[in-house]
Amino acid sequence: MLHIGCHLSSVKGFEHMGKEALGIKADTFQFFTRNPRGGKAKDIDPEDVKKFITLAEQNHFAKLVAHAPYTLNPCSAAEKVRNFAFMAMEDDMKRMEYIPGNYYNFHPGSHVGQGVEKGIELITELLNRIITPQQSTVILLETMAGKGSEIGGRFEELKAIIDGVEISDKIGVCMDTCHVSDAGYDIINDLDGVLEEFDRIVGLERLHALHINDSLNPAGSHKDRHAKIGEGHLGLDAITRFINHPELKGLPCILETPNDLDGYAREIEMLRAGYAAG
Ligand code: FE
Ligand code: FE
Ligand code: ZN
């Protein structure tokens, strides 16, 4: 069973997202926990969440992926910016408990000239302040394209963050096909090799979710520009092999391609058609 969905707007609430997902034959989705540019989060309506949870159970939804605002920078050089990341993520952890047992994905951050080591130290510090043993949410570090001073373009960097997190069972990874290719990992010609490397450095048991995007740029470009499935440098064949890889089967796949709902419906149909049963 291919668990697939796309990024949806959370403006109209959870039940609305659930229905939208069903309408495009998705059984999971991703949403921003708050305005992607930051700011105060809208209050969660417990009635809306209750309706969504019933709908998700009835339709056998896979785990959802919440996405932190991408403007958060846990390893900024400015204390004010780091404090904002802390407050937003701490608040998000409380909000996530309304929909227990799902994933919370974030971009590790940009070290803005402080160096990779310092960046990793700041990210780890922040995670250790946020994560509690009681939380049911698993936080995911997204594999990044390595644009500018972004941390998370190398598997070693993700591993170093994970190693620094004290409550280790609440931290994992979300692999983004566009980002990982842009970072220089050849998932077109050597997917086995890339996943072996990931396993050796991070451990495949840490990999909990996938972002499925084509890339406007060739491998190693460090650009992070998503393309529609089949319209970028990865291509439909490589992406189909990716979702069918035995080590990746069963993980929730989230499309973040430049599409409206109809476009997402077509991509989901296309990928479901290319997914081998069993
Ligand atoms: Fe992301
Ligand atoms: Fe992504
Ligand atoms: Zn991206």
Side-chain angles (χ1 to χ4, degrees), residues 3-7 24 26-30 253-255 264 268:
H3 298 303
I4 189 165
C6 64
H7 188 93
I24 58 172
D27 67 347
T28 177
F29 56 86
Q30 175 174 275
C253 295
I254 306 290
L255 294 160
Y264 280 130
I268 288 169

Side-chain angles (χ1 to χ4, degrees), residues 142 176 178-179 224 226 256:
E142 182 165 354
D176 185 309
C178 168
H179 296 178
D224 189 1
H226 301 189
E256 301 174 307

Side-chain angles (χ1 to χ4, degrees), residues 63-83:
K63 284 182 191 284
L64 309 181
V65 183
H67 197 306
Y70 47 72
T71 45
L72 291 191
N73 189 3
C75 60
S76 167
E79 200 187 351
K80 213 177 103 187
V81 176
R82 292 200 305 273
N83 282 341

Side-chain angles (χ1 to χ4, degrees), residues 5-6 8-10 12-23 26-31 44-66 95-103 254:
C6 64
L8 294 173
S9 163
S10 58
K12 291 183 181 160
F14 282 97
E15 193 194 17
H16 184 82
M17 287 190 281
K19 286 181 172 167
E20 266 185 345
L22 288 176
D27 67 347
T28 177
F29 56 86
Q30 175 174 275
F31 60 98
I44 286 180
D45 170 7
E47 277 309 306
D48 170 50
V49 171
K50 213 194 273 172
K51 285 186 205 149
F52 166 71
I53 289 175
T54 307
L55 176 145
E57 280 171 2
Q58 283 168 347
N59 294 282
H60 310 287
F61 271 44
K63 284 182 191 284
L64 309 181
V65 183
R95 298 157 53 79
M96 286 299 289
E97 291 305 318
Y98 282 91
I99 47 158
N102 288 298
Y103 297 125
I254 306 290

Side-chain angles (χ1 to χ4, degrees), residues 118-146:
K118 180 69 185 172
I120 288 170
E121 187 190 308
L122 289 169
I123 295 161
T124 308
E125 231 175 70
L126 178 129
L127 286 170
N128 281 328
R129 286 168 70 200
I130 284 171
I131 299 176
T132 65
Q134 297 83 21
Q135 74 181 51
S136 65
T137 304
V138 173
I139 298 183
L140 305 181
L141 305 162
E142 182 165 354
T143 62
M144 300 309 291

Side-chain angles (χ1 to χ4, degrees), residues 100-258:
N102 288 298
Y103 297 125
Y104 178 80
N105 172 74
F106 80 108
H107 297 180
S110 294
H111 66 69
V112 287
Q114 301 173 94
V116 172
E117 238 174 273
K118 180 69 185 172
I120 288 170
E121 187 190 308
L122 289 169
I123 295 161
T124 308
E125 231 175 70
L126 178 129
L127 286 170
N128 281 328
R129 286 168 70 200
I130 284 171
I131 299 176
T132 65
Q134 297 83 21
Q135 74 181 51
S136 65
T137 304
V138 173
I139 298 183
L140 305 181
L141 305 162
E142 182 165 354
T143 62
M144 300 309 291
K147 190 171 70 180
S149 67
E150 252 173 20
I151 294 192
R154 304 298 311 167
F155 296 158
E156 287 82 356
E157 296 167 5
L158 301 173
K159 166 69 173 165
I161 297 169
I162 291 169
D163 278 350
V165 172
E166 285 149 19
I167 304 172
S168 188
D169 60 326
K170 307 294 183 195
I171 188 84
V173 174
C174 172
M175 187 180 283
D176 185 309
T177 51
C178 168
H179 296 178
V180 91
S181 167
D182 279 22
Y185 294 101
D186 186 0
I187 59 170
I188 301 176
N189 303 300
D190 189 23
L191 179 57
D192 282 341
V194 172
L195 294 178
E196 274 162 29
E197 189 173 340
F198 184 90
D199 193 35
R200 189 165 16 92
I201 295 167
V202 180
L204 278 166
E205 70 282 357
R206 293 281 181 187
L207 188 55
H208 294 302
L210 307 169
H211 283 170
I212 306 298
N213 303 304
D214 213 324
S215 176
L216 280 182
N217 297 288
S221 61
H222 305 293
K223 287 280 205 312
D224 189 1
R225 301 277 313 278
H226 301 189
K228 293 181 185 176
I229 304 301
E231 297 184 13
H233 280 263
L234 291 176
L236 178 60
D237 286 355
I239 290 171
T240 302
R241 283 196 301 276
F242 189 85
I243 59 170
N244 277 294
H245 196 283
E247 296 289 359
L248 305 179
K249 279 199 152 186
L251 299 180
C253 295
I254 306 290
L255 294 160
E256 301 174 307
T257 46

